[in-house]
């Protein structure tokens, strides 16, 4: 039986119309002509079928609702690039024909609204479930054999290290051939995404997942050419994956996401004194490629106040910002980080002409969020406990529009 929730309007901030700001000015991003700059952020929801096969009915309705304003860009939930890169049975994949066919039906719902969709490419690394990997005969790998005790809970209810030992699938560093295979997997996943009808893909290099594990000095203890001795080495794997994806589908169909100050999953956050230098190097490398005719669609940055997926204004990391990106990267920048409840910050951010704003949790609870932002309508509160329910309706596609609420 489907669960139901009593949805309430948020009273934590005073909504204000943003219709007169650049948030509602058209912009060309890659090969897309967006009609506004409010983007659906990538949000894991675990609503697909088992075996990492998307649910075309529920997920089609979900993405269809959130692309209902023409010219909207939606970024899908993180999607596994290969069986080896996964380990979450209810997270979607894009590595076999059944998955491609299911995604194609979902993408059609978005395109029927005259909107656009990018699929986020994902590999989990040490954030995976070693027991699930064991079941499909895949190793538990990361940049190094460094477990993160705060990575979360596996299906067996124990931390990753204990679970890995229990199933005899302990974490180990990836070999060079495995790294090269992952690079190929990202490229093939990008091709599969476009074959399914996506307008492009976003390479996920943040939030403590595999590519971030190579970038972060705490999880990368390697001493080879992918090791932590130099910024170039730490960035090598991510840049190789980005380059391979660009080569596969074209730079104007590729976005890239980073979380420079993230702490989720045991990442270093601002404790890494080289963080700004590392990301400045990566942005410079992407700009260098852009100057050679291969400018990716956008760089997507999680703001410092979202260090562990929660708003942490008092966290030491919150004082850091990502403004240095504009001094290096001359393309489109997308920013994510609790903007729905801070319209004044949105107003400031979009004064920089190449800036997009990605909305997450409040886009979950407001399927018509761009309309509400334009009109200054109150926002429906999200129900955090519903984020990962295995329910195809409750907390997923049953949030009302402002018209249904008579606002």
């Amino acid at each position: 039986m489907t669960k139901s929730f009593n949805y309430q309007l948020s009273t934590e901030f005073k909504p204000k119309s943003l219709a007169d700001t650049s948030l509602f000015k058209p912009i060309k991003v890659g090969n897309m002509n967006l009609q506004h700059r409010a983007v659906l952020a990538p949000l894991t929801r675990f609503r697909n079928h088992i075996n990492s096969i998307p649910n075309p009915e529920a997920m089609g309705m979900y993405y269809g609702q959130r692309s209902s304003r023409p010219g909207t860009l939606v970024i899908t939930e993180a999607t596994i690039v290969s069986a080896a890169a996964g380990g979450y049975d209810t997270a979607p994949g894009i590595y076999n024909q059944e998955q491609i066919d299911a995604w194609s039906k979902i993408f059609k719902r978005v395109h029927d609204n005259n909107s656009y969709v990018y699929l986020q490419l994902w590999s989990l690394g040490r954030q995976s479930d070693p027991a699930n990997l064991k079941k499909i005969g895949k190793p538990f790998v990361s940049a190094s054999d460094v477990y993160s005790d705060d990575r979360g809970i596996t299906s067996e209810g124990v931390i990753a290290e204990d679970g890995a030992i229990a199933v005899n699938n302990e974490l180990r560093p990836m070999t060079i051939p495995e790294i090269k295979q992952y690079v190929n997997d990202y490229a093939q996943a990008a091709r599969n995404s476009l074959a399914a009808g996506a307008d492009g893909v976003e390479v996920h290099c943040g939030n403590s997942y595999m590519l971030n594990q190579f970038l972060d000095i705490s999880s990368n203890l390697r001493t080879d050419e992918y090791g932590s001795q130099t910024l170039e080495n730490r960035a090598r794997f991510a840049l190789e994956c980005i380059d391979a994806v660009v080569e596969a589908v074209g730079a104007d169909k590729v976005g890239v996401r980073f979380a420079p100050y993230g702490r989720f999953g045991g990442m270093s956050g601002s404790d890494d004194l080289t963080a700004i230098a590392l990301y400045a190097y990566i942005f410079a490398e992407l700009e260098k490629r852009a100057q050679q005719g291969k400018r990716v669609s956008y760089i997507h940055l999680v703001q410092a106040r979202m260090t562990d997926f929660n708003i942490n204004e008092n966290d030491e990391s919150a004082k850091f910002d990502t403004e240095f990106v504009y001094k290096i990267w001359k393309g489109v920048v997308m920013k994510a980080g609790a903007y729905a409840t801070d319209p004044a910050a949105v107003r400031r951010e979009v004064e920089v002409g190449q800036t997009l704003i990605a909305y997450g949790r409040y886009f979950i609870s407001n399927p018509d969020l761009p309309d509400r932002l334009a009109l200054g309508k109150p926002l429906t509160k999200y129900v955090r406990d519903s984020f990962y329910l295995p329910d195809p309706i409750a907390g997923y596609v049953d949030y009302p529009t402002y018209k249904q609420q008579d606002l």
Side-chain angles (χ1 to χ4, degrees):
M1 181 176 179
T2 297
K3 188 171 183 174
S4 62
F5 296 99
N6 181 24
Y7 298 126
Q8 304 291 325
L9 293 176
S10 175
T11 58
E12 64 178 297
F13 75 105
K14 183 176 177 59
K16 295 181 180 179
S17 170
L18 295 170
D20 63 338
T21 72
S22 292
L23 191 68
F24 287 93
K25 288 183 179 178
I27 183 173
K28 185 171 178 61
V29 178
N31 62 348
M32 303 176 292
N33 294 305
L34 305 185
Q35 296 306 302
H36 62 89
R37 306 172 189 211
V39 178
L40 173 66
L43 299 158
T44 293
R45 303 304 310 277
F46 292 138
R47 293 314 208 277
N48 55 278
H49 298 309
I50 61 171
N51 299 323
S52 296
I53 300 168
N55 181 332
E57 294 77 24
M59 293 167 67
M61 182 179 294
Y62 173 77
Y63 287 110
Q65 289 174 341
R66 282 148 192 81
S67 61
S68 58
R69 187 180 180 106
T72 297
L73 171 59
V74 300
I75 306 172
T76 73
E77 60 218 88
T79 302
I80 300 163
V81 299
S82 67
Y88 295 166
D89 195 38
T90 54
I94 188 66
Y95 52 86
N96 64 41
Q97 192 60 49
E98 193 171 3
Q99 294 162 348
I100 293 169
D101 292 344
W103 274 119
S104 68
K105 297 173 184 176
I106 297 167
F107 297 155
K108 183 179 184 302
R109 295 288 294 268
V110 176
H111 290 148
D112 284 348
N113 290 332
N114 293 315
S115 287
Y116 303 93
V117 58
Y118 266 38
L119 183 139
Q120 191 187 62
L121 303 178
W122 191 37
S123 54
L124 279 76
R126 74 179 191 181
Q127 291 293 91
S128 187
D129 184 333
N132 281 343
L133 289 171
K134 181 75 171 182
K135 290 175 186 176
I136 60 173
K138 302 298 182 182
F140 189 29
V141 295
S142 179
S144 303
D145 56 351
V146 181
Y147 291 93
S148 174
D149 287 350
D150 69 347
R151 63 163 288 284
I153 304 297
T154 71
S155 59
E156 282 71 31
V158 292
I159 63 173
E161 185 170 5
D162 291 348
I165 293 171
V167 299
N168 193 29
N169 194 16
E170 295 187 51
L171 187 67
R172 65 165 174 78
M174 290 175 69
T175 65
I176 297 295
E178 285 173 331
I179 289 172
K180 300 304 182 184
Q181 182 59 53
Y182 265 72
V183 172
N184 292 335
D185 290 344
Y186 271 89
Q188 186 58 52
R191 294 187 197 97
N192 292 347
S193 300
L194 266 66
D199 297 286
V201 295
E202 179 179 281
V203 181
H204 194 357
C205 300
N207 298 357
S208 81
Y209 299 111
M210 178 70 90
L211 299 184
N212 198 175
Q213 291 159 29
F214 275 77
L215 294 173
D216 198 279
I217 200 165
S218 69
S219 51
N220 185 345
L221 306 184
R222 304 174 72 98
T223 57
D224 60 11
E225 62 265 42
Y226 294 92
S228 59
Q229 313 95 307
T230 67
L231 304 180
E232 293 83 355
N233 284 358
R234 286 161 60 188
R236 192 181 309 279
F237 186 22
L239 288 173
E240 286 183 353
C241 288
I242 294 165
D243 287 343
V245 169
V246 166
E247 184 65 25
V249 300
D252 62 350
K253 300 178 185 66
V254 179
V256 190
R257 192 183 213 211
F258 300 101
Y261 308 112
R263 294 184 183 276
F264 177 77
M267 297 293 96
S268 298
S270 60
D271 291 341
D272 177 7
L273 300 180
T274 68
I276 291 177
L278 171 66
Y279 287 96
Y281 167 75
I282 294 171
F283 301 158
E285 285 296 306
L286 293 176
E287 180 60 29
K288 182 193 302 182
R289 289 157 171 76
Q291 295 296 326
Q292 297 167 350
K294 295 182 178 180
R295 183 176 298 282
V296 296
S297 296
Y298 60 80
I299 290 176
H300 184 178
L301 301 174
V302 181
Q303 298 301 83
R305 60 181 174 176
M306 299 297 292
T307 54
D308 62 356
F309 294 167
N310 293 297
I311 303 170
N312 297 308
E313 296 286 9
N314 297 321
D315 188 281
E316 182 68 15
S317 290
K319 69 183 182 183
F320 290 84
D321 64 46
T322 56
E323 297 309 293
F324 66 93
V325 67
Y326 295 108
K327 297 182 183 301
I328 306 167
W329 170 250
K330 304 309 176 185
V332 173
V333 175
M334 186 184 302
K335 293 186 175 182
Y339 284 106
T341 57
D342 196 350
V346 174
R347 220 170 249 282
R348 290 193 304 271
E349 296 282 16
V350 296
E351 286 179 3
V352 179
Q354 75 237 47
T355 304
L356 308 177
I357 303 295
Y359 293 87
R361 282 169 277 200
Y362 273 96
F363 218 148
I364 288 175
S365 57
N366 296 272
D368 56 347
L369 181 65
D371 292 339
R372 295 193 193 221
L373 295 174
L375 297 170
K377 297 292 186 182
L379 302 185
T380 303
K381 289 182 181 178
Y382 55 82
V383 179
R384 184 183 289 271
D385 290 345
S386 75
F387 285 173
Y388 308 117
L389 283 179
D391 192 307
I393 298 174
Y396 193 55
V397 296
D398 61 342
Y399 281 104
T401 64
Y402 80 86
K403 290 180 179 177
Q404 290 170 328
Q405 293 170 303
D406 295 323
L407 296 178

